[in-house]
Amino acid sequence: MKMWSEGLGRMELVVDFSHYRVVGEEGDTVIEGITDEPVKWEFTARFREDDIPGLLNIFFKPTTLLFILKNVKVLFRFLFEKLFMRERYREVSAE
């Protein structure tokens, strides 16, 4: 996944969401990871209860559902790899 922020100028950060850590913290879900390119930066995304409607709104948009349907083979590959190739989806380590 490529992420961009106006504060980064033209730089795009590359994040591999197959390597991340999810923890529960004070009733929130926290995703921690490290960007891959062009620099290694630690990032944190905190999701709260009031974020659920917005996340579901994104998921159920026709564009998102069509994207998932067009790439359904990736879903099946993920399920296979998650079951039988667990190293591919190991949690991130800041070390």
Side-chain angles (χ1 to χ4, degrees):
M1 171 186 209
K2 292 184 179 182
M3 296 191 309
W4 176 82
S5 170
E6 197 171 302
L8 294 172
R10 295 177 182 235
M11 184 180 358
E12 288 182 330
L13 301 175
V14 177
V15 177
D16 182 353
F17 275 109
S18 64
H19 307 294
Y20 57 87
R21 193 169 83 118
V22 179
V23 294
E25 196 174 282
E26 300 174 12
D28 298 345
T29 295
V30 179
I31 299 173
E32 300 171 340
I34 300 173
T35 62
D36 294 325
E37 301 171 17
V39 294
K40 289 198 177 282
W41 281 341
E42 292 182 30
F43 69 88
T44 302
R46 178 178 296 270
F47 296 97
R48 308 194 70 174
E49 180 181 337
D50 56 351
D51 292 320
I52 293 172
L55 291 169
L56 291 173
N57 185 44
I58 291 168
F59 181 79
F60 286 108
K61 293 263 186 208
T63 304
T64 306
L65 293 173
L66 185 60
F67 176 77
I68 292 169
L69 287 173
K70 282 183 176 179
N71 295 285
V72 73
K73 66 181 183 274
V74 177
L75 173 65
F76 290 120
R77 184 175 49 210
F78 164 78
L79 293 172
F80 175 81
E81 290 175 350
K82 187 72 171 169
L83 290 171
F84 302 108
M85 303 169 70
R86 293 175 186 230
E87 178 62 24
R88 175 155 161 67
Y89 295 98
R90 71 188 182 283
E91 287 190 352
V92 69
S93 172
E95 299 154 2

